[in-house]
């Protein structure tokens, strides 16, 4: 199994970075995972802005040469892992900009004359590891599960990724947040997960 980890947090002295380290450690110890690539969007200085004009059309985004290496990573991977905070009930703008540009028509999906498009990234699995200051059940109780619906239904299933797992960890700024227990849970999952 080939694993691409997309990390989206600007601070390497943070709890999110600690989660990234546990993901990496678990993957490295997992005999089912052959290769790992890490994409740190902030370290990469990824530009999340969508820019279109008469010479750069949205429908041609799948051919944009500056995004080619990222498309190759997505094509290469069997498993995608996203590590990020939940801000305002959704992933950070940096990650959404990556999604907007990479999960483009004629790369991630193809329009058809039917009701649904043809999914072009079938067979890949996805794991989202996310943290938030608020309680764990906040997205479910107050936001009708908007984060999971956005990521799973509106994005991943749309492009053919049906196996999606979430770790949504709340109370991460609390002394009673059980951070070490949650870090270990992530490590143990990636140490054992099979494709």
């Amino acid at each position: 199994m080939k694993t691409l980890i997309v990390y989206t947090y600007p601070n390497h002295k943070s709890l999110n970075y600690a989660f990234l380290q546990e993901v990496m450690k678990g993957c490295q110890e997992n005999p089912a995972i052959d290769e790992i690539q890490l994409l740190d969007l902030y370290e990469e200085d990824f530009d999340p802005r969508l820019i279109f004009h008469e010479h750069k059309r949205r429908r041609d985004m799948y051919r944009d040469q500056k995004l080619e290496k990222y498309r190759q990573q997505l094509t290469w991977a069997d498993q995608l892992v996203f590590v990020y905070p939940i801000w305002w009930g959704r992933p950070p703008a940096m990650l959404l900009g990556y999604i907007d540009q990479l999960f483009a028509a004629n790369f991630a999906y193809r329009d058809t004359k039917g009701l649904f498009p043809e999914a072009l990234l079938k067979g890949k699995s996805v794991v989202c590891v996310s943290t938030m200051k608020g309680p764990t059940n906040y997205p479910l109780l107050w936001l009708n599960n908007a984060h999971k619906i956005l990521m799973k239904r509106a994005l991943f299933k749309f492009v053919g990724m049906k196996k999606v797992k979430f770790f949504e960890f709340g109370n991460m700024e609390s002394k009673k947040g059980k951070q070490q227990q949650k870090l270990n849970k992530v490590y143990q999952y990636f140490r054992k997960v099979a494709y």
Side-chain angles (χ1 to χ4, degrees):
M1 177 167 50
K2 297 171 185 167
T3 299
L4 172 64
I5 304 168
V6 181
Y7 175 69
T8 311
Y9 198 77
N11 185 356
H12 283 194
K13 294 180 181 177
S14 66
L15 185 59
N16 277 279
Y17 193 72
F19 274 107
L20 170 64
Q21 295 307 304
E22 295 304 308
V23 169
M24 294 281 293
K25 186 168 111 178
C27 287
Q28 290 163 349
E29 293 176 14
N30 187 332
I33 297 175
D34 304 315
E35 297 177 61
I36 304 165
Q37 286 188 33
L38 171 63
L39 171 58
D40 182 332
L41 292 176
Y42 282 95
E43 284 288 309
E44 186 82 9
D45 201 20
F46 184 85
D47 186 355
R49 298 173 302 149
L50 290 174
I51 299 171
F52 302 114
H53 44 69
E54 62 273 10
H55 304 294
K56 186 175 182 179
R57 299 176 304 179
R58 188 167 192 271
R59 66 176 162 243
D60 296 330
M61 203 162 30
Y62 74 102
R63 291 188 251 191
D64 189 332
Q65 284 306 303
K66 74 175 184 157
L67 299 173
E68 179 58 26
K69 80 171 190 176
Y70 305 115
R71 285 192 296 270
Q72 287 178 6
Q73 286 177 323
L74 286 171
T75 301
W76 167 86
D78 301 309
Q79 174 179 242
L80 304 175
V81 181
F82 295 91
V83 181
Y84 57 93
I86 296 176
W87 290 334
W88 299 108
R90 51 133 183 95
M94 176 70 85
L95 180 54
L96 293 176
Y98 169 85
I99 289 166
D100 286 347
Q101 293 180 71
L102 271 299
F103 288 76
N106 297 311
F107 173 72
Y109 68 93
R110 182 179 297 117
D111 287 323
T112 65
K113 298 197 189 258
L115 183 61
F116 297 105
E118 177 188 359
L120 299 178
L121 296 177
K122 291 179 184 171
K124 299 177 186 298
S125 65
V126 180
V127 183
C128 294
V129 179
S130 55
T131 61
M132 60 191 135
K133 179 180 178 181
T136 298
N137 290 328
Y138 174 76
L140 173 63
L141 299 175
W142 291 98
L143 301 175
N144 296 318
N145 239 2
H147 168 246
K148 286 183 179 176
I149 291 170
L150 167 71
M151 298 301 280
K152 187 173 185 174
R153 194 181 306 164
L155 173 62
F156 299 130
K157 284 195 174 185
F158 189 83
V159 299
M161 301 177 190
K162 294 181 180 175
K163 186 178 177 187
V164 182
K165 178 157 182 66
F166 289 92
F167 290 97
E168 281 185 340
F169 295 122
N171 298 313
M172 288 294 92
E173 292 184 18
S174 168
K175 290 181 181 176
K176 297 178 182 176
K178 301 179 181 175
Q179 290 86 349
Q180 194 56 52
Q181 182 181 348
K182 293 169 182 175
L183 286 164
N184 189 56
K185 183 176 183 177
V186 166
Y187 160 70
Q188 292 297 336
Y189 174 82
F190 283 99
R191 195 169 67 89
K192 297 174 184 173
V193 67
Y195 182 60

